[in-house]
Amino acid sequence: MVSIVIPLYNKEKLIANTLRAVLGQTYQDFEIVIVNDGSTDNSVAEVNKIADRRIRLINQANAGVSAARNRGIEEARGEYIALLDADDQWLPEYLATQMRLSEAYPECDVFVTDYQFRDEFGKTTPTTIRNLPFRGEHGVLSNYFKVASTSNPPICSISIVARKKSFNAVGGFPLGITSGEDLLTWARLACRNKIAYSTKALAVYYTPTTGPTGQVPADLKSTKDAVSRGLMELLDKYPESGVREYAAFWYKMRASINIRHRNRLAAAKCAAKSISLTPFKYKPWVILALSVMPGMFIDKAMGR
């Protein structure tokens, strides 16, 4: 059985559609574990309107998405955990495809499909996934970190199914992190498990074009943020895994965000850390140079 874990926080206008997409799956051997993370709107009332014995609603005080996912995984009764966010959806063949992957690749414990983005107007945009190590519609993602360093994230919080034991082995999702907690979790899973991957985009990630689309992490200026520390710990433990390239990519992203915000010193530190890991990538060197240049050069480089 698959346990579908859905963290819920103030999604009263979207949760019903999400649940309908789950109930409309062609594969029906599942339970739905909804963890209400202290919602203050009518989200719970919307859930209660849907009568299905497979839905379990668990209430807790607001503790964040990682805590809600961990609670759902803990309460899950199935061997497989499927993650889904309360404002996103699956196409009808999603779970069936994931279960076919589990049958086709018994050596794998993590199963992933491609996904697509959809805005509030219904416009869909595909992901960009590069350097897959196989041909055809599915295969083993043996070079996760290379793909993750050159593409949209190959794993998304709505496109992964994994054995419960795999989530437990990495300690679930890290608490106290507001940005990148999922990326660190995928990295930990990738170091310990083989991943089967389908190129079918069967999960739909909601990305509104209005309002905030993401939050700038509070520790943006640090090179010792929780995700960075976690990646460096993985590098020490799994030096041949490809984590080095991915950690360099992570620092480069933070350097890029910092230079956009004119955080020159932080941009320089993050760029230097990226260079120390993969010295022959040119973009961190560009950011390092920009960090000591006048603002007009930064604006021009950023296309302002």
Side-chain angles (χ1 to χ4, degrees):
M1 182 176 71
V2 180
S3 294
I4 301 164
V5 173
I6 303 177
L8 175 62
Y9 180 72
N10 290 354
K11 291 293 187 295
E12 63 179 358
K13 296 181 180 180
L14 297 166
I15 183 60
N17 285 336
T18 298
L19 290 176
R20 280 192 285 268
V22 173
L23 297 175
Q25 292 292 298
T26 58
Y27 182 91
Q28 287 283 304
D29 185 16
F30 59 75
E31 66 169 352
I32 305 172
V33 183
I34 301 174
V35 180
N36 173 40
D37 191 42
S39 293
T40 58
D41 64 359
N42 293 317
S43 292
V44 170
E46 291 299 314
V47 171
N48 288 333
K49 289 179 183 179
I50 300 176
D52 192 294
R53 60 180 179 78
R54 293 170 294 182
I55 298 176
R56 283 194 287 143
L57 180 65
I58 298 167
N59 295 294
Q60 67 177 30
N62 180 254
V65 66
S66 289
R69 286 176 180 149
N70 289 345
R71 177 74 182 279
I73 292 169
E74 179 185 350
E75 298 282 349
R77 297 168 181 159
E79 177 187 358
Y80 297 95
I81 304 294
L83 299 176
L84 181 60
D85 292 338
D87 52 359
D88 298 319
Q89 296 181 22
W90 292 332
L91 299 186
E93 284 290 319
Y94 174 78
L95 282 180
T97 299
Q98 294 283 38
M99 290 298 99
R100 283 195 291 269
L101 284 178
S102 72
E103 295 170 359
Y105 301 96
E107 73 275 22
C108 296
D109 289 317
V110 178
F111 312 96
V112 179
T113 75
D114 195 5
Y115 57 99
Q116 57 188 298
F117 304 101
R118 182 160 64 196
D119 65 21
E120 68 268 41
F121 306 109
K123 179 182 177 181
T124 59
T125 306
T127 60
T128 298
I129 303 294
R130 302 183 180 93
N131 296 309
L132 288 176
F134 58 85
R135 296 180 182 273
E137 288 189 346
H138 53 80
V140 175
L141 189 62
S142 56
N143 62 339
Y144 168 81
F145 291 105
K146 182 175 182 179
V147 176
S149 301
T150 57
S151 311
N152 287 123
I155 301 179
C156 177
S157 59
I158 65 168
S159 70
I160 179 173
V161 172
R163 298 186 198 273
K164 182 174 180 177
K165 66 178 184 180
S166 297
F167 277 116
N168 289 338
V170 299
F173 289 84
L175 303 178
I177 306 177
T178 58
S179 179
E181 77 290 336
D182 51 350
L183 300 180
L184 180 55
T185 302
W186 314 148
R188 288 171 172 170
L189 286 171
C191 284
R192 298 176 64 104
N193 302 273
K194 292 183 178 179
I195 303 170
Y197 183 87
S198 169
T199 61
K200 293 182 178 180
L202 299 174
V204 183
Y205 191 84
Y206 179 60
T207 54
T209 58
T210 57
T213 57
Q215 73 185 114
V216 176
D219 57 5
L220 175 65
K221 297 181 182 181
S222 174
T223 57
K224 297 180 180 179
D225 62 287
V227 176
S228 298
R229 291 197 306 270
L231 291 176
M232 297 312 293
E233 289 170 3
L234 286 177
L235 179 58
D236 288 341
K237 193 170 183 179
Y238 303 96
E240 304 301 321
S241 64
V243 175
R244 176 178 297 277
E245 184 177 11
Y246 186 67
F249 173 71
W250 172 259
Y251 284 116
K252 184 200 72 176
M253 286 196 304
R254 291 174 69 83
S256 179
I257 297 171
N258 271 301
I259 202 67
R260 287 180 182 274
H261 286 78
R262 301 288 186 91
N263 299 328
R264 297 169 184 272
L265 181 58
K269 287 182 177 180
C270 291
K273 189 67 176 178
S274 181
I275 291 166
S276 72
L277 292 167
T278 54
F280 300 110
K281 301 287 185 178
Y282 77 92
K283 288 185 178 178
W285 286 103
V286 172
I287 296 171
L288 185 62
L290 285 173
S291 69
V292 297
M293 290 184 178
M296 61 180 292
F297 290 97
I298 297 176
D299 289 342
K300 187 174 182 179
M302 297 296 111
R304 292 171 180 165

